[in-house]
Amino acid sequence: MADSRPESEAWERIATIVRRSVPRQQFETWFRGISVVSVGPERLEFRVPNNFLREWILRKYSGVLRSAAREVVSGDPELVIHIAESADSSGSSSSGPLPGATPSRDADAHRAATAPRSAAEVHTSTVSARSPGISFGESDVTLNAQYTFGNFVPGPSNNFAYAAAVAVADSPGKSYNPLFLHGSVGLGKTHLLQGVCHRLIERRPGMRLLYLSCETFTNHFVTAIANGELDSFRYRYRHVDTLLIDDIHFLANRERTQEEFFHTFNTLYNANKQIILSSDSNPAEIPTLSERLVSRFKWGVVARIDAPVYETRVAIISRKVKMHGVTFPDDVVHYVAENIRANIRELEGAVNKMAGMAHIYGRSVSMEMAKTALRDLIPISQHRVSVDTIIRTVAEHYGVPVKDLMGKRRTKSIARPRQVCMFLARRLTSHSLEEIGGYFGGRDHTTVMYAFDKIRKEVKVSTDLADLVEHLSTRIRTT
Ligand code: ADP
Ligand code: MG
């Protein structure tokens, strides 16, 4: 906002006040796209890129905004939010008004304030007059601004799920319906579901989108029954263009909720509305899920997400490191990728922890720091590689005696496999250089470091050696 109009200056001051009372992340997410139109004692008027932002700001931040405005201008200005013209073409064929829709409170109050009507506003008013509209504000889940397609690193383990999610976001209701994503915890299901939401919000601002956890669906249902509000519950869930329910396996053992969801599903499906579900297992393996739901879940596409392969782990770590604005040495990236394999959330945790340590100690991230960080993070239950296993496996491969590797001999035939052992020990275990040296005839840490560097450099230029290291690592880990 570099212009010097008085509005801009007043708005800057308002924004500064708002920034003080809203967490930084939220401010970045919700206020960055705002451009000011006018600031005066009667009105605070600005533009946002889409209706979702408008609704959200009205719902959550009108109080904060107005009280900030009161501090800057004399008077009690109304809040008027326009949708930026260019972002208004939703292109959605399914965005006509709903029969029997009642205007929401927010929309009502603010429609009165939106005096000059451009084409964009008419459209906007129509959108907000629909109930339930875009319903993020009513569910317990808000979108994580980071969970976009752009921040998702595809790889062989998640390619299919990723491509399917993108396809569905690009033509909801037309490509795969339902889309059912499954995989174990921390592998990106929620990220992909929210990726769909972000894309739809960006490209189809008028679309009615409902994203929530299965728990929320269940809770709403239970509450609706208790309060005799089934009609409005049904209205809410059956009048959306895209319904995304995360962790649908929580329907297990909930017979009545399953029954209700079955009807929700049918209504939406028959109206060509998009349904996207995620689960920790494939439909057939969700305990006590009724047969008719299992079969429906398989009507569209069932995409499984597996644990990421090594290269993807490296790519994800590198991406997260970059997002922190720090750099990790290559060997640290590889060490983390080697040692955390089953859960991307843990990969992320490791990166966060190291970036935090580097910040606190005012030092750059080192291998020793990585080992300390991971020692706490890798669960005890996870199979830990022992140096003994490494030595045995390497000895077997090179056909040399174990005791020679651990001893003092320096002949070339022994020195080479010993260096490979040290390299692998550093990469696959959490032992310090000194500890590793201890296994090899009490050699000191500089010897271990030298061996590690030597092999690491060679691996970069020799695919044979790289393959061998990969092969040995796999054997060691699966022993
Ligand atoms: P799930 O819902 O399957 O348990 P999440 O979607 O919550 O997993 O993912 C856990 C964390 O890992 C999130 O912070 C997410 O951003 C990140 N993540 C998962 N997969 C990827 C990926 N392919 N690329 C980048 N980040 C990922
Ligand atoms: Mg999840």
Side-chain angles (χ1 to χ4, degrees):
M1 241 176 279
D3 69 5
S4 55
R5 293 175 303 150
E7 291 87 14
S8 306
E9 203 198 310
W11 169 243
E12 278 300 342
R13 286 167 59 202
I14 294 171
T16 307
I17 297 167
V18 171
R19 199 180 279 132
R20 269 189 248 130
S21 47
V22 172
R24 196 178 62 87
Q25 166 95 17
Q26 283 179 30
F27 187 87
E28 288 293 307
T29 309
W30 306 113
F31 293 88
R32 225 197 347 215
I34 286 181
S35 64
V36 67
V37 176
S38 73
V39 182
E42 319 246 288
R43 260 195 209 174
L44 168 58
E45 205 173 342
F46 55 79
R47 254 182 247 291
V48 296
N50 57 52
N51 185 53
F52 171 69
L53 268 177
R54 177 180 183 274
E55 294 248 302
W56 189 261
I57 290 171
L58 287 176
R59 204 187 300 261
K60 292 277 177 183
Y61 300 108
S62 45
V64 176
L65 274 167
R66 287 180 67 175
S67 84
R70 278 197 297 271
E71 281 186 60
V72 173
V73 296
S74 49
D76 188 2
E78 278 296 342
L79 193 57
V80 181
I81 309 180
H82 306 278
I83 310 289
E85 222 84 44
S86 61
D88 191 60
S89 49
S90 80
S92 162
S93 55
S94 49
S95 58
L98 284 168
T102 48
S104 74
R105 255 189 311 122
D106 276 346
D108 235 358
H110 293 282
R111 202 148 25 127
T114 336
R117 279 167 191 266
S118 68
E121 280 162 15
V122 173
H123 173 80
T124 303
S125 306
T126 319
V127 172
S128 26
R130 291 190 212 134
S131 173
I134 298 170
S135 307
F136 289 90
E138 294 160 35
S139 75
D140 64 345
V141 201
T142 50
L143 288 188
N144 182 324
Q146 305 295 329
Y147 290 1
T148 58
F149 287 146
N151 282 339
F152 192 85
V153 178
S157 59
N158 58 31
N159 244 331
F160 182 52
Y162 172 69
V166 171
V168 160
D170 286 342
S171 47
K174 300 205 178 79
S175 39
Y176 311 121
N177 207 13
L179 171 61
F180 191 98
L181 303 179
H182 71 97
S184 72
V185 64
L187 295 184
K189 303 182 294 291
T190 298
H191 188 138
L192 282 181
L193 255 55
Q194 296 201 10
V196 173
C197 296
H198 282 295
R199 168 110 3 138
L200 289 174
I201 288 165
E202 182 191 314
R203 305 224 174 136
R204 296 172 188 249
M207 175 166 257
R208 289 157 303 170
L209 191 63
L210 193 50
Y211 165 77
L212 71 168
S213 68
C214 185
E215 295 291 53
T216 305
F217 180 84
T218 305
N219 292 341
H220 282 172
F221 178 60
V222 171
T223 314
I225 292 180
N227 299 343
E229 290 166 351
L230 259 185
D231 282 349
S232 66
F233 174 89
R234 289 186 175 142
Y235 187 87
R236 178 189 158 116
Y237 284 97
R238 295 181 192 183
H239 291 87
V240 294
D241 299 314
T242 298
L243 175 68
L244 305 100
I245 300 196
D246 209 351
D247 294 325
I248 196 77
H249 51 271
F250 285 118
L251 278 185
N253 299 318
R254 303 243 168 83
E255 258 172 58
R256 282 200 69 185
T257 316
Q258 280 190 33
E259 166 89 22
E260 183 62 30
F261 184 71
F262 174 76
H263 296 295
T264 307
F265 184 102
N266 289 343
T267 307
L268 292 175
Y269 186 87
N270 292 333
N272 287 324
K273 304 302 188 188
Q274 182 69 47
I275 301 159
I276 308 177
L277 306 167
S278 84
S279 161
D280 67 355
S281 55
N282 76 44
E285 281 164 9
I286 300 175
T288 77
L289 190 67
S290 75
E291 225 7 83
R292 55 189 190 169
L293 274 179
V294 174
S295 76
R296 271 166 182 74
F297 289 174
K298 295 191 206 154
W299 278 353
V301 154
V302 176
R304 181 170 129 171
I305 307 180
D306 287 305
V309 299
Y310 182 76
E311 289 74 15
T312 313
R313 298 200 297 276
V314 169
I316 291 172
I317 296 166
S318 307
R319 175 77 61 95
K320 309 275 174 194
V321 166
K322 215 169 172 182
M323 285 163 82
H324 275 282
V326 290
T327 49
F328 284 12
D330 279 357
D331 56 340
V332 168
V333 173
H334 292 291
Y335 179 72
V336 178
E338 277 290 357
N339 286 284
I340 301 182
R341 277 169 272 135
N343 185 326
I344 296 172
R345 190 170 295 132
E346 284 177 7
L347 270 187
E348 229 171 40
V351 171
N352 293 346
K353 181 152 188 173
M354 282 183 269
M357 286 167 85
H359 183 69
I360 288 165
Y361 300 134
R363 279 194 266 130
S364 51
V365 171
S366 66
M367 192 68 174
E368 295 316 305
M369 213 183 255
K371 296 207 167 188
T372 312
L374 261 62
R375 217 169 279 182
D376 304 337
L377 286 168
I378 300 173
I380 310 287
S381 60
Q382 187 170 321
H383 177 70
R384 282 213 177 145
V385 167
S386 76
V387 178
D388 287 333
T389 309
I390 293 173
I391 296 175
R392 265 189 289 108
T393 312
V394 173
E396 195 186 318
H397 173 81
Y398 284 95
V400 295
V402 165
K403 68 172 182 353
D404 285 1
L405 281 179
M406 298 173 80
K408 294 274 184 198
R409 280 182 59 189
R410 287 167 191 273
T411 52
K412 197 157 180 241
S413 62
I414 291 297
R416 175 73 175 178
R418 191 186 282 134
Q419 286 171 343
V420 171
C421 283
M422 290 178 178
F423 174 81
L424 290 171
R426 182 151 169 82
R427 194 165 256 191
L428 302 178
T429 76
S430 61
H431 292 295
S432 66
L433 294 170
E434 286 78 11
E435 286 166 348
I436 294 170
Y439 281 91
F440 300 93
R443 286 173 161 80
D444 78 10
H445 73 277
T446 50
T447 311
V448 180
M449 197 61 218
Y450 171 80
F452 179 77
D453 271 344
K454 185 164 187 295
I455 301 294
R456 185 181 57 163
K457 284 183 187 133
E458 284 182 36
V459 161
K460 282 194 180 147
V461 291
S462 155
T463 34
D464 280 355
L465 186 60
D467 287 348
L468 173 64
V469 162
E470 203 46 50
H471 165 76
L472 289 172
S473 304
T474 309
R475 272 186 52 196
I476 290 162
R477 278 200 306 257
T478 50
T479 298

